[in-house]
Amino acid sequence: MKKVFLSITAVFLFLQMLSAQAYEGSIEYNKKKQLAYVIEYAYPQEAVQNAIIQKMAELGYKAKEEKGLFNRDKGFLVFKNASISDITGKTLDYFVKVDKKGKKDDDGAILYLVANNSNGENASTFFDNDEVRRAKGFLNNLQPEVEAANLEIQIRDQEDAVTKAEKKLKDLQDSKADMEKKIKNLQDDIEKNLKAQGETQKEIENQRQVLENLRAKRKTTDNL
């Protein structure tokens, strides 16, 4: 049974690897339709974006994200004057966009990679066959980083879930302690009340006795 499970897992991972194959496509950037290298991953958008940011950081390049309410290129990650030896020996400007494949995170994500030269021209149009192959390979080989980034997200989310559950438990414990304190105070109040009732009952009996004594004197006076 264990061997069957391992075989199924291996097949699943193999199919995942096959599905993550880069191809040539296009995307609009800087008001131009740009030739891009595209790949689809069966992982959330956040995991894919974190993976490419981490990969580029390891190469010494920090991402600058396009922002702004009216910025048509909003969401692109910009890596200026970057040298990715796995693709080419040239220093280029790389633009990366990671989009969701569907409405849900688990629908997967699509990564677009655009390379421009210092003149703002799409460098991919000047790539030879080997550079094209290597550019696609760069994205294909990003799969382990995507898996690792996704694992970190799962760990983070699980840590948040544990923290949330621990907070809920503490809130319940605090609530219980508060209720127990209120119950103790009520019990003390009840005991004080019962004691006061007993003292009042004795006072009533004493006062009644005084009243009876006074009434007895009235009858004695009437008989004279």
Side-chain angles (χ1 to χ4, degrees), residues 52 60 79 108 111 130 167 185 203:
I52 190 66
F79 302 92
L111 184 153
D130 185 56
K167 184 180 182 302
N185 290 337
E203 183 181 354

Side-chain angles (χ1 to χ4, degrees), residues 188-210:
D188 291 342
D189 290 342
I190 290 171
E191 289 178 6
K192 290 178 182 178
N193 183 280
L194 289 173
K195 183 179 179 181
Q197 285 186 48
E199 292 173 349
T200 304
Q201 186 64 41
K202 289 180 181 179
E203 183 181 354
I204 291 171
E205 292 173 357
N206 291 335
Q207 295 298 336
R208 280 180 176 170
Q209 187 60 50
V210 172

